Amino acid sequence: MKSLIACVIILFGVSQIYGLDPVQQLPEVNGDKFFYFGFGSNMLAKRIHIQNPTAEIIGPALLEDYRVDFSLVSEFWKGAVATIVPSPGSKTWGTLWVIDLTNLADLDNQERVHLGWYKPVSVQVKLQNNVTEIPARLYVITNEPKGNVHDLPPSEVPEDRQPSKTYLQVLVKGAIDSGLPEEYVTWLKGFKHNNQTVQHLEELLELQSVAL
């Protein structure tokens, strides 16, 4: 793992070669790979590998001045899915992946970029216990939710801002498996869910033992 992290730091520090296609000019792209920051279901390896089999974990990473929220109800997940919202002073932990460029279109498709649900942006993240910033691809929802759902009393959280139990279990399992700080895992568990489950995903992603 240490050698992989060292390679990451060297790779993103290499100057981009001009005259290539626009994708090659993205800050998060290095040669035939790109760095991606997953803060939602894609923190979990079993989940991201469904559509992005080349994804290789780098480790826990921190994104400053953004917070996680929930919006946009998904029939697939039976509840609201995660987004990330600019929030000065907030900190969001997630999983940093390095992925082959051949899967970039697959990731865009998973995030429904073509439908206008999410849009990709480039951000700077820091690996755990490392001050070096790494440019990474991040997907944010196009219709940013109003207010901070985590600040609301459970009884006042709108139904369309509640993730399903299954979806929240994915986030928690992904956070634990990726080695995110324990206090952040506890914070994720504090979101109100709608108690809906997606049975085939519970089995596929091995969520039965994930406690909320």
Side-chain angles (χ1 to χ4, degrees):
M1 177 60 71
K2 289 183 178 180
S3 60
L4 180 58
I5 291 175
C7 289
V8 169
I9 294 174
I10 292 172
L11 277 173
F12 86 78
V14 175
S15 299
Q16 297 291 316
I17 300 173
Y18 292 95
L20 300 177
D21 65 72
V23 170
Q24 287 287 345
Q25 300 307 306
L26 294 172
E28 63 267 29
V29 171
N30 288 279
D32 61 354
K33 298 181 182 294
F34 69 98
F35 298 111
Y36 164 63
F37 179 76
F39 61 88
S41 65
N42 277 342
M43 289 190 290
L44 182 62
K46 274 186 171 290
R47 165 56 177 142
I48 194 172
H49 285 153
I50 292 174
Q51 290 167 279
N52 305 277
T54 64
E56 183 177 359
I57 190 170
I58 301 300
L62 177 66
L63 176 64
E64 297 182 327
D65 297 324
Y66 283 87
R67 62 172 173 79
V68 168
D69 208 312
F70 293 88
S71 183
L72 187 65
V73 174
S74 163
E75 292 184 8
F76 181 81
W77 288 106
K78 292 187 179 180
V81 291
T83 187
I84 199 162
V85 181
S87 179
S90 295
K91 294 182 178 181
T92 292
W93 284 94
T95 309
L96 185 65
W97 303 90
V98 60
I99 306 175
D100 287 359
L101 273 178
T102 55
N103 279 145
L104 190 144
D106 298 317
L107 191 58
D108 279 359
N109 182 63
Q110 179 188 327
E111 300 298 334
R112 300 297 189 265
V113 172
H114 61 294
L115 297 177
W117 292 11
Y118 286 80
K119 61 182 179 181
V121 296
S122 299
V123 294
Q124 300 287 330
V125 301
K126 298 176 183 177
L127 293 173
Q128 194 172 32
N129 302 320
N130 198 307
V131 298
T132 305
E133 292 187 329
I134 298 174
R137 194 170 184 82
L138 171 74
Y139 293 87
V140 297
I141 202 164
T142 53
N143 295 317
E144 188 177 300
K146 304 299 180 183
N148 187 344
V149 73
H150 200 273
D151 288 343
L152 296 174
S155 61
E156 296 181 15
V157 177
E159 188 173 349
D160 62 358
R161 299 284 290 278
Q162 298 177 28
S164 66
K165 181 180 179 181
T166 297
Y167 187 78
L168 195 58
Q169 285 177 303
V170 172
L171 268 63
V172 169
K173 182 176 174 62
I176 293 172
D177 289 357
S178 297
L180 271 58
E182 184 176 347
E183 60 269 22
Y184 190 77
V185 175
T186 300
W187 182 79
L188 286 175
K189 291 181 178 180
F191 280 101
K192 177 179 174 58
H193 63 76
N194 63 14
N195 210 37
Q196 294 290 311
T197 58
V198 186
Q199 191 58 41
H200 75 280
L201 293 176
E202 292 271 332
E203 297 172 359
L204 175 66
L205 303 177
E206 301 177 354
L207 305 175
Q208 295 88 342
S209 63
V210 180
L212 297 179

